[in-house]
Structures are given as structure tokens and as C-alpha cells.
Amino acid sequence: MDRWRALLEASTVALDLPGDSGGGTGFVLAPGTVVTCAHVVAGADTVRGRMVATGAELTLPVSGESLHRTSNGLDIAFLRFDAPAMPRPRAAA
């Protein structure tokens, strides 16, 4: 369980929306890609992200192509960022 917790903490991104719109949570799915719920970032042009484990700052552009929502419940967004800006997560042994 400690290994999974370490991986989750290393990949968690705190999201800050523009103005006083609030925030949310995302996760690094793959190098250069953060996944979150589409309703969290819908309406924003850019979202600021902060890697919870390291404090590294990310700029996450939001576009219509980023958002995937359907009437049957799909509500997901894939936000791209410059992968070299983020260190790779390391799991505890």
C-alpha cells in the first residue's frame, strides 16, 4: 500500500482556476498529460497546476479538444504540458 500511496502522491496535481473560480485535483496520467474531470476546467482557457509532491508549477492550456463529455456520464479532460518541466515520479521501495 505504501508504494501505491507514494505513486499517487507523486502524480497528484493541485489545480487553480482563474479568478475566484476555485480549484480541483488532477493526476499525471503519462509524461506531458494531466487528467481531471472536464467540469472542473470547463470554461477556463488556462489552468495553473502545482505538483503536490514537489511544488513544481505547470501551465495547463484548456481547449475544446481537451474536454470529453457525454450525456451518459463521461466527464474527463486531458490537459497537456511540457513534460521536461516535471520530474518523473519515484515509488518508494
Side-chain angles (χ1 to χ4, degrees), residues 17-18 21 38-47 62-64 67 69:
L17 297 160
S21 301
H39 73 268
V40 172
V41 297
D45 293 325
T46 304
V47 175
V62 180
S63 70
L67 307 176
R69 300 173 89 175

Side-chain angles (χ1 to χ4, degrees), residues 26-91:
F27 300 92
V28 176
L29 178 67
T33 305
V34 171
V35 64
T36 190
C37 291
H39 73 268
V40 172
V41 297
D45 293 325
T46 304
V47 175
R48 290 183 314 144
R50 180 182 48 80
M51 296 300 302
V52 172
T54 66
E57 297 284 331
L58 304 172
T59 299
L60 304 164
V62 180
S63 70
E65 295 176 356
S66 305
L67 307 176
H68 304 279
R69 300 173 89 175
T70 62
S71 60
N72 68 353
L74 182 65
D75 181 36
I76 198 162
F78 297 98
L79 308 176
R80 309 286 183 196
F81 67 95
D82 181 18
M86 186 198 84
R88 294 180 62 89
R90 294 179 151 200

